Amino acid sequence: MLNYQPSVTNSKTTDPRFELSDAARYFYRQDWMVGTAGNLSARLPDDSFWITASGKAKGELSTSDFVRVTLTGEILERASANIKPSAETIIHQVIYSLFPAAQACYHVHSIEANLVSHFTEKLNLLLPPLEMVKGLGVWEENPQVAIPIFENHLEVPQIAAEISDRFSTQLPQVPALLIRNHGVTVWADSLTSARNYVELIEYIFRYMVAARQAGIF
Ligand SMILES: CSCCC(=O)C(=O)COP(=O)(O)O
Ligand SMILES: [Zn+2]
């Protein structure tokens, strides 16, 4: 068992579960975490991470709706034995293992993410060269940025293995990936940045759907 001792137990400033719950509520209100959809996590100093428990309504999370797990998926802390970590925890494990600077990993389901996942059959989806792309860390004129797409296998470990395999040889241009017919996952060096990345990428997806309807992109 790894030792993680928050300086003040359940303090809003030190316990990331409060900020994760706030973010989930915000995403729920945007229709990006409808019902139980999506999962959010935050890494702790000992490399374990808090992740949303599986099947919880994301608009009304409390601190007991989280599970603390290791990078290998071992459960360290939970409110009760019947609470399970997100069914997609292994994807968060892969992201934290591949990207040591990642402090948060957010996964949401939006209608637009599912629509744009059909704009190509390839492994990468080209994003429009919008100013918003700068918010994802690409400061180029007319940026040609693509987001990696993965197939939505029934077995989540297969999705995670494909993410791990592909990213081990080719790093993505932006800290985001799309699972076809499923949703987007972003990671960042802070919880605030992860929330911003979700908003930015969802804005870009909304633009792509609207632009396609207008015959632009
Ligand atoms: C209704 S969402 C289906 C499962 C899923 O894709 C998801 O993001 C939520 O799963 P979790 O186990 O994290 O609640
Ligand atoms: Zn999901």
Side-chain angles (χ1 to χ4, degrees), residues 49 69-74 93:
F49 59 94
V69 299
T70 65
L71 282 184
T72 53
E74 184 194 348
Q93 291 168 227

Side-chain angles (χ1 to χ4, degrees), residues 34 36-39 52-56 58 85-88 107 109 182:
V34 170
T36 59
N39 30 79
T52 43
S54 188
K56 298 292 179 184
K58 302 307 189 305
S86 165
E88 294 167 352
H107 164 69
H109 296 191
H182 186 158

Side-chain angles (χ1 to χ4, degrees), residues 96-139:
Y96 288 127
S97 300
L98 285 172
F99 304 103
Q103 296 300 315
C105 181
Y106 287 4
H107 164 69
V108 299
H109 296 191
S110 72
I111 289 174
E112 288 82 3
N114 288 326
L115 288 171
V116 302
S117 76
H118 290 282
F119 285 10
T120 184
E121 289 180 355
K122 298 187 178 151
L123 295 176
N124 293 290
L125 174 68
L126 187 63
L127 302 180
L130 299 177
E131 178 70 9
M132 289 299 232
V133 169
K134 290 197 178 101
L136 297 171
V138 181
W139 289 73

Side-chain angles (χ1 to χ4, degrees), residues 38-113:
N39 30 79
L40 308 181
S41 71
R43 197 200 301 247
L44 299 171
D46 67 356
D47 258 356
S48 67
F49 59 94
W50 281 116
I51 188 161
T52 43
S54 188
K56 298 292 179 184
K58 302 307 189 305
E60 48 193 48
L61 295 176
S62 69
T63 52
S64 58
D65 296 323
F66 290 83
V67 180
R68 187 162 74 92
V69 299
T70 65
L71 282 184
T72 53
E74 184 194 348
I75 294 172
L76 297 177
E77 231 179 303
R78 55 183 160 180
S80 65
N82 62 347
I83 294 176
K84 294 186 173 21
S86 165
E88 294 167 352
T89 298
I90 192 166
I91 294 176
H92 296 245
Q93 291 168 227
V94 164
I95 295 301
Y96 288 127
S97 300
L98 285 172
F99 304 103
Q103 296 300 315
C105 181
Y106 287 4
H107 164 69
V108 299
H109 296 191
S110 72
I111 289 174
E112 288 82 3

